[in-house]
Amino acid sequence: MEKSGQGCCSPRRVVLVPAPFQGHLNPMLYLGSILHSKGFSITVAYINFNSPDPSNHPDFQFLQIPFDPSELLQIYRGEYITFMLMLSEYCESPLLECFSQIKEKRDDSEKISCIIHDEFMSFSSAAATRLKLPSIIFRTSCSTTFISRHCLLHLTIEDLDSEELVPELPYPIRFKDLPLNTLGTLENFLKLVVNIENTRNSSAVIFNTMEFLEESSLAKIRRESHFPIFPIGPMHKIASASAGNLLEEDRSCLLWLNKQADNSVLYVSMGSVASMEEKDVTEMAWGLANSKQPVLWVVRPGSIKGYEWIESLPVGLMEAVRERGYFVKWAPQKEVLAHPAVGGFWSHCGWNSIVESLSEGVPMICQPCFGDQKVNARCLSHVWKVGLELRGNLERGEVEKTVKRLMVKDEGEEMRKRAMDLKRKVEISIREGGSSYSSMNELVGLIMSF
Ligand code: UDP
């Protein structure tokens, strides 16, 4: 059968504009691989910061957006929200320049079908309008985060400490769980939310989620939207190629996992952006050592504030953790989560980590740091009931207790069964006839109709 993107008339190209962070690049590159497998040619227009590695995707065309972000990064060091807001201001014209390059290089018969852009890269939709091209938004966080963010626009700071449930939301999310992002000023964050919500020029929205997982949130978005919504996750399970990594994977941990008993290891990772205070890491390490559970612990360089790596941990404590544990700087996370030895995942609750964990039936300890992580953690603990939440300052006794609850107690076993049930539902959703499978085909149909 003919592949969709090479249909009857002309070959078709889709231009992807990812946001420059690991948790945003990965799902966009997976989407590229999926669309490529359907016959579309793929161009990735990227910012020169956290750039993707073209060698992982020899079939894609990579174009750097001709804008130098180094000055912005210097000024807004770590204030990624403000950085993203500034990108929106400066990058529309440079992105248009990329299109001149695409036009110069492409075969005359080829048609550019549309731009698919990360929700943070809203300048892309303005560029698409100028080029008279349709644009599609890719929201890389979950659909419950999207509707929760909207609630932030009408609240006062005092509301944000409240334990009460937010009445507009279909799930038991408290005001204090709302996805306020502290990597920038509140004013700039709210401006970014307004940008993200502006769908005036968009033809559709894609989510890396599954219908069964967020049915009520997706239904609410559909009721309130004038365009189709495509929940097509988990994309890493559908794409044939790996997305690549910004840091080098230490694969030696897989050999260490091979020597551990099934479901015995707690995998610990805080993703690619979050960082922790030294005192919290020390409490965490004591709690882990005292729990006597095997631990595979990713400490990303620089993620303990003020330190290069793990040199802040006292030698005796390191020995206690190492007795049953293994440290790496970056792990092949998807393979780690799929390993039979891994029985739990202590995570900052980035959306990709959750999708990856649920796809392998691994229950979680949730330690959200900022933004959507708080909504995700609440869904894990109170909606899907496959997570235990640890919030606020860490204390070694509490850490030890929580680790044991997840890894050795009946309560953890029950959560593992529920997580395995979700894994089965994930498998069904991506099979022929499943919801993500069908949604993906509908998305391809829409792009072909442009
Ligand atoms: N990741 C990885 N190895 C690690 C830590 C993280 O491959 O040691 C990947 C993980 O699989 C996920 C991404 O980095 O795809 C992190 O995205 P997430 O949304 O979980 O968190 P973020 O980094 O955006 O906060």
Side-chain angles (χ1 to χ4, degrees):
M1 206 177 95
E2 200 164 33
K3 288 182 174 178
S4 318
Q6 299 163 342
C8 56
C9 318
S10 49
R12 287 165 175 262
R13 180 169 294 278
V14 173
V15 179
L16 307 178
V17 187
F21 299 99
Q22 182 86 66
H24 292 249
L25 278 169
N26 285 9
M28 187 64 97
L29 291 169
Y30 287 131
L31 177 63
S33 297
I34 299 168
L35 291 176
H36 188 262
S37 74
K38 305 273 180 197
F40 294 97
S41 300
I42 302 294
T43 296
V44 179
Y46 65 94
I47 290 289
N48 183 21
F49 167 60
N50 285 338
S51 307
D53 178 356
S55 69
N56 288 319
H57 302 276
D59 296 327
F60 296 1
Q61 175 189 41
F62 282 86
L63 292 177
Q64 194 181 98
I65 298 176
F67 170 78
D68 180 4
S70 52
E71 202 175 319
L72 288 182
L73 286 162
Q74 200 66 31
I75 302 171
Y76 301 110
R77 196 182 290 265
E79 280 194 41
Y80 290 125
I81 290 299
T82 313
F83 171 65
M84 295 311 297
L85 197 64
M86 292 296 151
L87 280 189
S88 288
E89 241 172 70
Y90 294 118
C91 285
E92 184 184 330
S93 302
L95 180 61
L96 289 171
E97 281 181 45
C98 276
F99 275 85
S100 312
Q101 288 184 46
I102 298 171
K103 282 184 183 147
E104 270 168 32
K105 287 179 189 164
R106 87 192 148 132
D107 175 338
D108 280 344
S109 66
E110 188 183 79
K111 173 176 172 173
I112 299 179
S113 289
C114 66
I115 299 182
I116 302 181
H117 66 90
D118 189 286
E119 63 181 356
F120 283 165
M121 308 298 266
S122 51
F123 61 87
S124 316
S125 115
T129 306
R130 277 181 192 273
L131 294 161
K132 299 197 171 43
L133 280 175
S135 65
I136 295 178
I137 302 176
F138 183 7
R139 303 200 189 283
T140 58
S141 44
C142 69
S143 64
T144 308
T145 286
F146 176 68
I147 53 178
S148 306
R149 253 199 228 124
H150 180 74
C151 303
L152 284 168
L153 295 174
H154 314 291
L155 296 181
T156 63
I157 288 286
E158 293 75 53
D159 294 329
L160 294 171
D161 286 332
S162 166
E163 297 269 345
E164 283 188 30
L165 299 183
V166 183
E168 299 92 303
L169 296 177
Y171 297 121
I173 310 286
R174 299 163 300 183
F175 284 95
K176 65 187 274 195
D177 301 315
L178 289 175
L180 187 67
N181 199 312
T182 44
L183 299 177
T185 63
L186 177 63
E187 193 192 351
N188 283 340
F189 176 63
L190 294 179
K191 277 190 198 161
L192 194 69
V193 172
V194 171
N195 274 356
I196 287 172
E197 290 207 343
N198 177 1
T199 49
R200 256 199 319 271
N201 301 327
S202 307
S203 300
V205 169
I206 298 171
F207 284 100
N208 186 19
T209 191
M210 291 72 80
E211 195 73 46
F212 74 86
L213 199 64
E214 296 195 278
E215 207 175 0
S216 306
S217 295
L218 289 165
K220 180 173 164 64
I221 297 172
R222 285 198 179 101
R223 277 196 303 277
E224 294 166 9
S225 304
H226 57 276
F227 44 62
I229 306 294
F230 297 105
I232 55 172
M235 290 182 179
H236 72 285
K237 284 286 186 188
I238 305 170
S240 50
S242 134
N245 280 292
L246 297 174
L247 292 173
E248 198 184 334
E249 287 176 347
D250 183 342
R251 301 185 62 79
S252 64
C253 59
L254 296 171
L255 300 175
W256 178 81
L257 283 175
N258 288 344
K259 295 186 212 136
Q260 313 302 319
D262 281 5
N263 284 335
S264 67
V265 175
L266 178 66
Y267 169 60
V268 183
S269 167
M270 297 293 147
S272 63
V273 180
S275 53
M276 290 179 72
E277 299 291 342
E278 181 212 340
K279 64 176 177 22
D280 284 328
V281 180
T282 304
E283 290 302 307
M284 190 170 170
W286 275 120
L288 287 168
N290 295 342
S291 77
K292 309 257 188 278
Q293 296 304 302
V295 176
L296 169 57
W297 191 349
V298 178
V299 182
R300 206 181 69 246
S303 65
I304 305 179
K305 285 181 190 158
Y307 295 91
E308 290 281 317
W309 196 42
I310 47 179
E311 68 278 12
S312 66
L313 296 176
V315 177
L317 173 56
M318 283 297 297
E319 277 163 13
V321 178
R322 276 211 172 106
E323 215 175 288
R324 288 179 199 78
Y326 201 81
F327 282 97
V328 290
K329 294 181 177 169
W330 192 255
Q333 180 164 303
K334 287 173 279 296
E335 285 169 77
V336 165
L337 289 167
H339 197 287
V342 173
F345 180 11
W346 178 337
S347 168
H348 71 306
C349 295
W351 183 241
N352 294 287
S353 291
I354 292 178
V355 169
E356 289 158 13
S357 203
L358 298 185
S359 298
E360 302 304 338
V362 179
M364 301 174 77
I365 292 177
C366 314
Q367 193 200 349
C369 302
F370 53 78
D372 66 326
Q373 299 156 17
K374 294 183 288 172
V375 176
N376 299 342
R378 183 74 177 169
C379 288
L380 282 163
S381 58
H382 284 73
V383 182
W384 309 315
K385 300 190 168 49
V386 291
L388 295 173
E389 202 173 342
L390 264 178
R391 220 151 132 170
N393 294 336
L394 294 181
E395 188 279 316
R396 63 191 72 180
E398 186 65 22
V399 168
E400 180 186 341
K401 203 168 94 193
T402 308
V403 171
K404 285 182 175 159
R405 275 173 71 195
L406 185 77
M407 300 305 292
V408 291
K409 302 278 184 205
D410 290 348
E411 189 185 1
E413 202 38 50
E414 287 303 314
M415 278 197 267
R416 203 157 293 112
K417 282 189 197 144
R418 280 195 288 275
M420 285 308 287
D421 189 42
L422 293 178
K423 176 186 163 135
R424 277 187 285 277
K425 289 184 173 156
V426 165
E427 286 163 357
I428 292 169
S429 71
I430 58 177
R431 259 189 237 143
E432 189 166 353
S435 61
S436 294
Y437 181 95
S438 305
S439 233
M440 189 67 221
N441 283 342
E442 285 162 23
L443 172 65
V444 169
L446 176 74
I447 299 175
M448 288 303 293
S449 73
F450 290 145

